[in-house]
Amino acid sequence: MRILGVLLLLSSLVEGISVSQRKKVVQSFSVRRNSSSTSTPLQVGNGNFAFGADVTGLQTFQPYGILSSWCWHNFSLPTTPGQTSVTDFTGLQWWTHDRLVTYNQPNPAQDDISTWLIKNPQRVNLGRIGFSFGQKSVSEADLQQKSQVLDIWSGELTSSFVYNGSSVGVATYSDPDSDTISVSIESELLKTGLGLFLDFPLPDRNKFNAPFVGVFNETDQHQTSLEKVSAHSAVVKHTLDQTTYYTTLTWTGNGSVTGPQQGTHRYLFTPSSSKVQLTLAFSPTLQAQEADYAAIAARSQAWWESYWTSGAFIDLSAVKSPNATELQRRILISQYLLAVNSASNNPPQESGLVNNGWYGKFHLEMNLWNSLPFARWGHFPLLWRSLPDMYTRFLSSSFDRARDQGYLGARWGKMTDPTGRSAPGEINSLVIWQQPHPMFFAETEYRSFPNATTLSRWDTILTATADFMASFAYFNKTTGVYDLGPPMYPVSENTNPNATANPTFELAYWRFGLDIAAKWKTRQNLTVPSIWLTVRDNLAPLPVVNGAYAVYEGIPSMWTDPATTNDHPAMAGIYGLLPPPLSGPPLNESFLRKTADMIYELWDLEQSYGWDFSMLAMNSLRLGDRERAVEYLLHPIFQFDDAGYPVGGSRVPTPYFPNAASLLIATAMMAGGWDGMEGMQFPKGWEVEVEGFVPAM
Ligand SMILES: *[C@@H]1O[C@H](CO)[C@@H](O)[C@H](O)[C@H]1NC(C)=O
Ligand SMILES: *[C@@H]1O[C@H](CO)[C@@H](O)[C@H](O)[C@H]1NC(C)=O
Ligand SMILES: *[C@@H]1O[C@H](CO)[C@@H](O)[C@H](O)[C@H]1NC(C)=O
Ligand SMILES: *[C@@H]1O[C@H](CO)[C@@H](O)[C@H](O)[C@H]1NC(C)=O
Ligand SMILES: *[C@@H]1O[C@H](CO)[C@@H](O)[C@H](O)[C@H]1NC(C)=O
Ligand SMILES: *[C@@H]1O[C@H](CO)[C@@H](O)[C@H](O)[C@H]1NC(C)=O
Ligand SMILES: *[C@@H]1O[C@H](CO)[C@@H](O)[C@H](O)[C@H]1NC(C)=O
Ligand SMILES: *[C@@H]1O[C@H](CO)[C@@H](O)[C@H](O)[C@H]1NC(C)=O
Ligand SMILES: *[C@@H]1O[C@H](CO)[C@@H](O)[C@H](O)[C@H]1NC(C)=O
Ligand SMILES: *[C@@H]1O[C@H](CO)[C@@H](O)[C@H](O)[C@H]1NC(C)=O
Ligand SMILES: *[C@@H]1O[C@H](CO)[C@@H](O)[C@H](O)[C@H]1NC(C)=O
């Protein structure tokens, strides 16, 4: 079935960019390293599981992560009287217009349970596997001729090195269908003491666990045991408080597993022939390992070939500019890395499955960047792993969140774990731009699949979302318009929430969301709730200062105080990320141009998060400046490392995947244009071939 599917795809593409051309372009960006990086691994993975390797193809010298979307851990609850249960937590009440509303914010009188709720659960690093050189202490400097290639076309990572005059060759793959890696090792040294170790860490308590996740020396805080040993397999059970999972190692030929060594969670695998093939599988329950090395390698090759041949494609190889080459590199490796790190059943975390940021949790406002590329690049099945199911699963807790605050509908959370619980936080509880995201996803899907299935699967979610959005807008009797906030945080999380009202981006996005919700009802011949239209048609006007859109209404010293020109320049998002409004007054082009110019001249992009560059690039495209769009995408502060990982910059650790995702959203817009300006929008003189793009809204 799998092979047939691939063949059908291949034959359906003969009209466009040929498979051999796609393969040539993709493989010209294979990643090569001669030594381990100390900040990023090379990875194999499948979106729900990923394995980070150092230069040995395993984790011999650098303990990079093995992360999944399913394995999470809680430290024990506090024992402080009155704070021993999550239901003891009260949050804080803030004045919201004329009433007190309870927000999910850390309560200083309940510090222990507040902190527990922020720090738990954490995403677990499943383990570590590396070469063991016997009794000798060997460092990476003791290896010669180190060389490594990650072929992103097949998902194969090949590594080789020489130790004490003998060569070692390693091939590493991830199974597309399970949480398993397969490894082939060839070396005469395997007969004379070269073996492998397995080790298991305890989660650590830091917000950011980068570049590595967990601690290996607090061994008395968790338990491992060798459960089942047979001639060709061994199972290690790992127990971390309430969390248990199993690691199954299988091998070909003779070999044995021993351990743990005294006072550690370290196990040794000792093979006895010069070639060994392994699988290493992780699962929450004990399972028989069925697929062997060769089966997994073949599945990986087939899956990746189907990925590269089925999606949209941009071929910049004919453009004789180093800028185009660098853009092509970023585009291709970002596509690889998002499939490995972000194509998950839950929304991905910002650092994917490389390391942990925010305890491994995911942010619902960032999910627009993180997940939208799968839709824009023709990989809907990867988007559908989490959407719209995630919204359906979190619907009931989001209804509760809105109801407890006196609103109708569903208020989506922010920094979230798989149960749908949003972590306490002042910003977490007051940011609002995640609310219209379901409309963006739904409408994007409808443009590719305009049928009744799409309409019905999103209808309940959009209705609940629009009900909240209409209910949240506050009718200001003095001005006769609906206000957003206060209190609230806009996209740029650096304003006084009690003074922030009517931010430009959120007003535009509220209109967009209500427009789409209304269209959704109309398409189904259903009545549009009149309150949605009343709110939409009476939203506060977009705030303007000195002829340019401002962060929010009444912001002091906009454009003249540097405090107003840093963090996210979200005003550029209203004509870039968002399409022009479907209702209400049109955007004023002179304001749009002046806003873009002022940002270009004044904004402190050092203090920016990388996806701002992609947002500004999309704004430049709509304003007709394609050269500036490319300039933003190649801005010196917007970096991708030697292996294509998006660099975090001054605010967050590396990698920071919203940068890679946003780059794909912006380049999809360059390739497909948008409504009213369909077709390619690359700089003048660029000879580009593209295929498979639907214009942006
Ligand atoms: C790795 O080593 C080879 C051979 O010495 C060299 O040609 C290549 O440039 C090196 N690659 C990197 C990424 O350093
Ligand atoms: C962690 O604790 C929370 C609150 O009791 C619970 O909802 C969640 O399922 C727990 N997660 C794990 C992985 O134990
Ligand atoms: C906002 O107002 C609430 C009272 O409604 C107060 O508790 C809080 O400290 C204020 N926050 C800021 C940042 O001024
Ligand atoms: C290197 O290999 C030789 C035999 O080929 C052996 O005698 C020696 O102990 C090895 N050295 C190390 C450091 O493994
Ligand atoms: C574990 O290692 C860390 C970092 O080296 C150190 O700070 C910590 O004290 C160690 N913990 C134990 C229990 O040895
Ligand atoms: C595996 O072990 C068995 C029993 O000790 C032995 O007869 C056989 O020769 C070994 N095979 C290899 C490939 O080493
Ligand atoms: C709508 O489109 C999707 C994707 O092509 C398809 O799976 C589904 O069957 C379609 N539904 C209808 C009712 O045509
Ligand atoms: C109504 O809007 C005005 C102008 O934006 C603002 O000053 C006032 O605080 C708002 N009224 C309420 C009750 O929020
Ligand atoms: C809506 O009504 C129109 C006109 O009666 C009809 O053509 C169309 O099929 C209906 N659409 C749906 C989704 O029921
Ligand atoms: C844009 O705003 C300026 C300044 O208020 C005004 O002169 C101009 O007419 C507006 N343009 C449009 C198209 O509304
Ligand atoms: C490459 O991009 C830089 C920065 O955007 C620009 O200054 C330069 O002119 C571009 N070079 C070419 C050959 O297009």
Side-chain angles (χ1 to χ4, degrees):
M1 278 308 282
R2 183 184 299 274
I3 294 185
L4 185 64
V6 171
L7 291 178
L8 287 174
L9 279 168
L10 301 192
S11 59
S12 70
L13 281 172
V14 287
E15 298 291 313
I17 303 169
S18 69
V19 169
S20 63
Q21 176 65 8
R22 285 187 178 218
K23 182 172 182 179
K24 188 173 138 210
V25 175
V26 170
Q27 286 194 320
S28 66
F29 292 93
S30 292
V31 182
R32 287 162 206 279
R33 276 183 175 167
N34 292 354
S35 62
S36 300
S37 158
T38 51
S39 59
T40 57
L42 296 185
Q43 282 178 296
V44 294
N46 62 31
N48 282 306
F49 167 81
F51 178 86
D54 69 11
V55 76
T56 64
L58 299 175
Q59 299 156 330
T60 309
F61 302 113
Q62 303 289 334
Y64 284 116
I66 308 177
L67 300 184
S68 71
S69 45
W70 53 266
C71 196
W72 295 75
H73 166 258
N74 284 328
F75 287 106
S76 54
L77 280 155
T79 51
T80 327
Q83 301 187 48
T84 56
S85 143
V86 299
T87 52
D88 289 336
F89 172 74
T90 60
L92 286 181
Q93 292 195 315
W94 277 26
W95 286 104
T96 301
H97 300 293
D98 43 6
R99 63 199 181 92
L100 280 170
V101 167
T102 301
Y103 292 98
N104 181 15
Q105 296 181 4
N107 183 337
Q110 295 187 311
D111 200 34
D112 292 343
I113 190 67
S114 300
T115 304
W116 190 92
L117 286 165
I118 294 168
K119 296 189 169 192
N120 290 279
Q122 323 84 40
R123 197 183 294 253
V124 172
N125 178 13
L126 296 166
R128 177 179 179 190
I129 182 170
F131 283 105
S132 155
F133 296 86
Q135 297 309 308
K136 296 169 201 82
S137 160
V138 172
S139 72
E140 190 171 317
D142 297 323
L143 309 187
Q144 291 88 44
Q145 297 177 42
K146 297 178 287 271
S147 167
Q148 192 167 39
V149 182
L150 175 63
D151 175 12
I152 60 174
W153 179 263
S154 65
E156 181 189 45
L157 175 62
T158 50
S159 313
S160 59
F161 57 88
V162 169
Y163 174 64
N164 194 22
S166 292
S167 63
V168 179
V170 186
T172 316
Y173 288 96
S174 166
D175 190 353
D177 304 328
S178 73
D179 307 303
T180 309
I181 57 159
S182 65
V183 184
S184 163
I185 306 169
E186 286 189 52
S187 176
E188 288 302 318
L189 292 172
L190 291 172
K191 294 198 287 199
T192 60
L194 181 68
L196 299 174
F197 70 84
L198 280 178
D199 206 345
F200 299 89
L202 181 75
D204 58 50
R205 294 166 198 260
N206 299 323
K207 178 174 175 179
F208 291 107
N209 306 157
F212 309 123
V213 184
V215 292
F216 288 86
N217 60 355
E218 294 193 21
T219 51
D220 58 344
Q221 305 294 308
H222 56 125
Q223 296 80 41
T224 59
S225 55
L226 202 50
E227 287 291 300
K228 271 178 72 174
V229 187
S230 66
H232 298 287
S233 72
V235 177
V236 177
K237 180 181 182 184
H238 189 192
T239 305
L240 302 139
D241 301 300
Q242 303 303 307
T243 300
T244 299
Y245 65 91
Y246 297 87
T247 303
T248 303
L249 181 71
T250 72
W251 59 86
T252 55
N254 291 346
S256 63
V257 169
T258 54
Q261 289 163 298
Q262 181 77 39
T264 73
H265 295 296
R266 205 169 247 251
Y267 295 80
L268 283 181
F269 169 66
T270 313
S272 61
S273 60
S274 60
K275 175 168 181 178
V276 62
Q277 295 182 336
L278 310 164
T279 64
L280 184 69
F282 300 88
S283 60
T285 54
L286 194 52
Q287 283 171 356
Q289 176 62 25
E290 317 240 321
D292 63 7
Y293 167 82
I296 289 175
R299 293 214 286 242
S300 170
Q301 288 160 357
W303 192 90
W304 281 105
E305 179 154 343
S306 140
Y307 178 74
W308 288 115
T309 52
S310 65
F313 203 81
I314 297 178
D315 181 356
L316 296 171
S317 60
V319 187
K320 300 273 172 294
S321 151
N323 287 355
T325 308
E326 175 57 11
L327 199 56
Q328 180 87 72
R329 182 183 83 95
R330 294 179 180 200
I331 288 170
L332 291 172
I333 305 183
S334 294
Q335 283 182 267
Y336 178 82
L337 290 176
L338 290 198
V340 166
N341 287 285
S342 301
S344 47
N345 297 341
N346 286 306
Q349 66 166 326
E350 293 179 359
S351 53
L353 299 169
V354 175
N355 54 50
N356 277 356
W358 289 275
Y359 312 97
K361 298 180 187 187
F362 42 87
H363 298 280
L364 295 197
E365 89 285 19
M366 294 314 298
N367 196 39
L368 185 69
W369 294 120
N370 286 326
S371 293
L372 193 64
F374 298 121
R376 300 289 292 120
W377 284 75
H379 292 295
F380 276 94
L382 299 185
L383 181 81
W384 291 333
R385 287 180 179 179
S386 66
L387 296 180
D389 170 66
M390 178 273 285
Y391 287 112
T392 306
R393 278 190 293 133
F394 296 173
L395 191 57
S396 140
S397 60
S398 299
F399 271 123
D400 292 348
R401 186 179 292 114
R403 184 204 56 222
D404 292 349
Q405 297 184 333
Y407 299 114
L408 301 176
R411 180 173 196 160
W412 306 110
K414 202 224 179 231
M415 173 178 151
T416 304
D417 68 55
T419 68
R421 184 167 63 68
S422 190
E426 188 173 302
I427 290 170
N428 293 353
S429 64
L430 292 170
V431 96
I432 63 168
W433 67 286
Q434 73 274 43
Q435 304 306 328
H437 286 353
M439 284 76 167
F440 205 116
F441 284 120
E443 186 67 10
T444 303
E445 184 172 324
Y446 189 76
R447 292 163 66 84
S448 289
F449 306 109
N451 69 31
T453 311
T454 307
L455 290 172
S456 73
R457 68 206 222 108
W458 283 96
D459 186 59
T460 305
I461 296 163
L462 296 202
T463 303
T465 304
D467 283 346
F468 169 74
M469 288 168 55
S471 164
F472 177 82
Y474 173 82
F475 185 68
N476 186 323
K477 293 197 187 67
T478 316
T479 53
V481 296
Y482 283 91
D483 289 339
L484 301 182
M488 65 161 294
Y489 274 101
V491 176
S492 57
E493 298 167 348
N494 62 348
T495 68
N496 174 351
N498 289 325
T500 304
N502 296 329
T504 295
F505 181 80
E506 282 77 0
L507 282 173
Y509 206 16
W510 240 244
R511 175 178 298 286
F512 169 86
L514 293 171
D515 275 331
I516 300 298
K519 259 173 109 166
W520 214 260
K521 291 294 180 198
T522 307
R523 283 172 181 149
Q524 298 172 91
N525 290 345
L526 299 173
T527 311
V528 181
S530 61
I531 185 66
W532 298 359
L533 303 179
T534 306
V535 170
R536 178 195 74 181
D537 293 338
N538 295 282
L539 278 170
L542 303 183
V544 173
V545 173
N546 294 340
Y549 291 110
V551 174
Y552 65 89
E553 182 183 310
I555 181 172
S557 311
M558 184 73 217
W559 302 113
T560 56
D561 177 352
T564 66
T565 51
N566 66 46
D567 211 291
H568 299 293
M571 306 86 76
I574 68 170
Y575 195 61
L577 179 61
L578 303 186
L582 289 169
S583 65
L587 299 175
N588 181 311
E589 191 181 327
S590 110
F591 297 166
L592 286 170
R593 289 193 181 282
K594 184 145 186 219
T595 307
D597 289 345
M598 302 270 266
I599 291 170
Y600 187 74
E601 282 161 31
L602 290 175
W603 212 267
D604 179 9
L605 290 171
E606 278 290 350
Q607 288 305 309
S608 156
Y609 288 85
W611 48 267
D612 294 333
F613 294 98
S614 307
M615 188 170 64
L616 291 166
M618 289 191 277
N619 184 229
S620 302
L621 284 179
R622 284 205 209 253
L623 290 170
D625 195 340
R626 303 166 181 190
E627 282 71 19
R628 179 157 300 173
V630 170
E631 186 183 337
Y632 273 128
L633 293 180
L634 298 175
H635 195 286
I637 300 169
F638 190 47
Q639 286 291 327
F640 291 70
D641 79 1
D642 68 304
Y645 285 92
V647 174
S650 66
R651 309 274 300 262
V652 279
T654 296
Y656 183 66
F657 282 115
N659 293 3
S662 69
L663 176 104
L664 291 180
I665 295 169
T667 48
M669 195 167 167
M670 280 187 165
W674 54 91
D675 288 350
M677 187 66 91
E678 293 80 3
M680 283 191 270
Q681 310 290 328
F682 289 96
K684 263 194 209 71
W686 283 29
E687 287 275 330
V688 186
E689 296 258 16
V690 305
E691 182 175 45
F693 290 96
V694 171
M697 284 181 243

